[in-house]
Amino acid sequence: MRAIIAGAVALPKARFGSVAVFAPDEDAFTLAVEAADRLPGIDTSRVETLHLVGPLPSSLPDAFPDALGTRTLGAIRYAPGPAGLWAAVEAANAGSKPESIDLILAFDPGRSPIGSSAPEEDTALAALAVTEGVGLRLTGRTITTSSSSRPRRSRTKGSSRPARPEDVSGTLPPIWIRRELVQTPDGNGNEAQGRPNLADRAAGPGPHRPNLLPIIEALREIGAGRGTPDAVALVDPLPLGAETVTFESTAPIAWTSPLEPASSRGMQSESAALDRTGSVPAAISEGAYVPRSTYLANRPSRWRLAAEECGACNAISFPLRGECRTCGRSDRMRRIELPRQGLVVEASTTIRPGAQPTEVDHQVAQTGPYSVLIARAHPSVRITVQLTDSPAGAIRMGDTVDLVLRRVYPMEGEWRYGLKAIPAAREGPPPPRVPTGPHDDPVGRTRETPLSKRPKGSRSPRQAS
Amino acid sequence: MVGAGHTRFGALAEGPRALLRQAVDAAVTSVDRGFDRSSIGEGFLGTLGFSGWQLGNSSAILAEEARIPRVPVSRVENACASAGFALRAAIRAIESGAQDVVLVAGLEKMTDAPSTRRRYWLGVSGDTEWERLAGLTFAGVYGLMASVYLAQHHVLPEALAEVAAKNHAHGALNPNAQFQKPVTREQVLASPFVADPLRLLDCCPVTDGAAALLLAGEEKAHAFTDTPVYVAGDGAGSDSLALQDRGSLTSLAATRRAADEAFRRSALDRSAIDFLEVHDCFTIAELLALEDLGYAPPGGAAALELSGATRLGGSRPVNPDGGLKAKGHPIGATGASQAYEAFVQLRGSAGARQVRGAERALTHNVGGSGASATVTVFTV
Ligand SMILES: [Zn+2]
């Protein structure tokens, strides 16, 4: 069993100073995809079940399979925050065949859900990916305030009975978990059976707002060699009444952050970025129109360079068109993906403010000039992409770039996503941080202390008393 | 071609209907022996429909303003090559024997749109999904081509600046030109970047204007004038909408095909042409045109321009009217404006910008970044 965790987090300036961690064209969706892409040693196309933990506009959950290249039909959605993550991990444990891969993506939007008109909230944006579904197990400690199925409500009303701590460890009782899960893609499956719906509670009124920051912080500490290397303690008031959840891994946790400080990415300050990423810009009255159906149909090519190889003449057709662009045959087309790393730049220009199409006015107002490149993805395929995460003009002809999924343009109240270019990583994705603490343990070696062998009552140092 | 008319080009007070009327009236007036509008059998209007003022059925406006109310008219739209293709349709109508006299007009009214609407329309003729929504307008697409051209051929931006300086010098001699003021290479190279390596003075302006042509079959032509200008041959071609899908980033296959067809039809050698009207929407486009039309080897157009051969008084002047760069580029009118220049030059009535002894001319009209192109060869 393996447990690999990759995460990304954006922290509000008010709490963490001026470390910029995400770019204006990133959001919960693109960070989650990037986190999944950076899972070491995992081919996301092999993922069989997707678990999504976090709020998303209705258009996006179905977008994950296209973004990750999975063959899954959709995704199981969970409420935002640790409770949802907990439920997702448990579901992955319970439902997986030993050899199957479950992918859990968790994220909090830093701002209002895309497309909503709700006021912006100053909270964290995070993405967390967990793979090999059987690799993580849970222990936890819940505090329920009553036998009511709605503990939070009674607590926030201030009329609750005294808290009743309840330890939970190992694998949580299936019945208990299932009762709390939102297990169907539409989020309503359990409710239809008369069971409490976690999403309802998480979204309900009250001062609590779940977020993933404590998990991310704990993972970061582990990655840096501080803290307990094989466990993540989470101290967070959970909507379902749990106060402490400990994620324990049966293998070392590799922490990689796809995000680096602002200075090394050439981006603006984090506060500037935060100020500018919240919501979809107002409708563009003057701009090219791409019907949503056309955008959706082209998504596999736009997002993962899906192309077709003709078995008759060996020509590559890109984007997908169902028929060979060279010989016209359609009976021997094989779907492939062109590489998204190490593309050689063949042409480059920098668009100065005023020369941009109206669709990217919002972007120019935020970040000024930008470069557009034509890069070669295959001897017979070029692609036109914007450069991101780098100052305009930073890439020249002959340089190599990698392609990443980012926001491209807003249309009809939603963000449309596509590939952009970043300077190519010299030797593949950045390696996980090397642990330096007393629990130093090379990443990737299997730990010999599975959860079941740990002493009873063993707790992370960060666990609340 | 028995008559041709041209409005002033620039930011004009006149609306689209008035511009069309002026151009057609000027074409009618230009016919030496007088012209009865009732002889027009069909009309073709080249226009993009800029800013959407009359996007559908806009050719009806040509019938109204030309005062040929029952004559069939069609709009031909191939972006910046709209009028070039309207001319081609007119040539076919006459060549086939279907019509004796045909009206061709080109029109665009661009300067009255607010800037966001204008920027929207300036990019509608490129590939929408892969180019435009990656952040490219035509300046960006031509900027990409220029970046490759300069690097591949080790050409300095001076060559681009020379194209602008030369066309501004020519435009200064053209009373219809939007810019009638010379600029130096240094001024071009000191102007701000728009889409590197292209600078502001590498780009054609936003322009209002119209031009009109009266074409007649060979037998009919002499009823109108003793000195018609003949279409010796025309050609056209197409290419991928998006630059990324083309074989070369520094050559327009549509232009090459159009030129081959035009020279084949006209049975003339390239060397027989006295001057060229080429589609210089950006300075780089003129370099590519000279190479694709067969007047310079790949990378050789830069040296040709810097040698002075393409200036008035040189061995083969290019864009004696100032080109799109200085004369202006009212999108749908440009192809007709180029043919107008061939008409006045080959009849020796071009005034201060006259190419001495000009007997054969070539016009070259490109749609978008090269998805379509026409080439027409005219002779006395
Ligand atoms: Zn084939």
Side-chain angles (χ1 to χ4, degrees), chain A residues 122-137:
Chain A
D122 195 22
T123 53
L125 171 67
L128 175 73
V130 182
T131 191
E132 302 285 4
V134 293
L136 284 181
R137 301 179 70 187

Side-chain angles (χ1 to χ4, degrees), chain A residues 286 290 298 302 325 346-350 352 354-359 361 370 382-384 386 397 408-409, chain B residues 116-117 119-120 128-130 132-137 140 144 147-148 193-196 243-247 249:
Chain A
E286 309 289 348
V290 176
N298 283 338
R302 258 207 170 277
R325 194 172 165 152
E346 295 194 356
S348 143
T349 186
T350 295
R352 308 299 173 132
Q356 78 278 9
T358 42
E359 295 82 6
D361 280 359
Y370 57 91
R382 297 192 201 91
I383 181 163
T384 310
Q386 250 186 55
M397 279 171 280
V408 176
Y409 61 97
Chain B
T116 48
R117 178 151 276 242
R119 282 191 296 114
Y120 162 34
T128 297
E129 267 215 275
W130 296 91
R132 182 187 180 101
L133 292 175
L136 289 178
T137 54
L144 288 170
S147 75
V148 182
F193 278 118
V194 170
D196 309 26
L243 187 59
Q244 68 183 26
D245 296 329
R246 298 191 192 152
L249 301 181

